[in-house]
């Protein structure tokens, strides 16, 4: 958890014009805006995804950065799919 908070602070306090996430450069302010919207639910989702990951992660910092950045956009559809699977076997 400490490393995650440090990574989040590194992003929010960064002075670089662009931040590289999953091989792409994004404007610092756009990334900062997403990170400032993260809440405990997003962190729980990210840690759950990391826990369920069955492949070897070569660069955990880059993986975590991408997971945190994408959490607000992917969390709802992930949980919706889980509910559909549990209720309907879809």
């Amino acid at each position: 958890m400490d490393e995650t908070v440090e990574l989040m602070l590194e992003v929010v306090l960064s002075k670089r014009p662009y931040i590289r996430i999953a091989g792409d450069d994004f404007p610092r302010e756009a990334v900062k805006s997403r990170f400032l919207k993260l809440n405990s639910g997003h962190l729980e989702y990210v840690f759950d995804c990391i826990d369920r990951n069955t492949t070897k992660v070569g660069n955990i910092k880059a993986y975590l950065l991408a997971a945190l950045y994408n959490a607000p956009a992917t969390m709802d559809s992930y949980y919706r799919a889980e509910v559909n699977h549990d209720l309907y076997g879809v």
Side-chain angles (χ1 to χ4, degrees), residues 5-68:
V5 172
E6 287 178 26
L7 179 61
M8 292 170 66
L9 285 172
E10 181 181 318
V11 168
V12 171
L13 299 175
S14 176
K15 299 294 183 199
R16 294 176 291 169
Y18 295 95
I19 297 174
R20 182 165 292 255
I21 297 175
D24 294 321
D25 291 328
F26 293 90
R28 175 188 68 220
E29 290 303 317
V31 177
K32 180 180 175 179
S33 175
R34 274 212 191 174
F35 271 63
L36 290 174
K37 293 176 184 172
L38 294 174
N39 60 39
S40 62
H42 294 113
L43 293 176
E44 184 178 336
Y45 164 70
V46 167
F47 288 130
D48 187 45
C49 289
I50 290 171
D51 189 45
R52 291 180 180 207
N53 185 13
T54 59
T55 59
K56 181 171 173 34
V57 176
N59 184 340
I60 190 67
K61 183 177 179 179
Y63 179 89
L64 186 58
L65 183 64
L68 289 166

Side-chain angles (χ1 to χ4, degrees), residues 67-81:
L68 289 166
Y69 180 77
N70 290 315
T74 59
M75 186 173 83
D76 289 338
S77 60
Y78 172 81
Y79 285 128
R80 195 172 314 113

Side-chain angles (χ1 to χ4, degrees), residues 80-90:
R80 195 172 314 113
E82 287 285 308
V83 169
N84 284 339
H85 179 269
D86 291 345
L87 288 177
Y88 308 112
V90 179

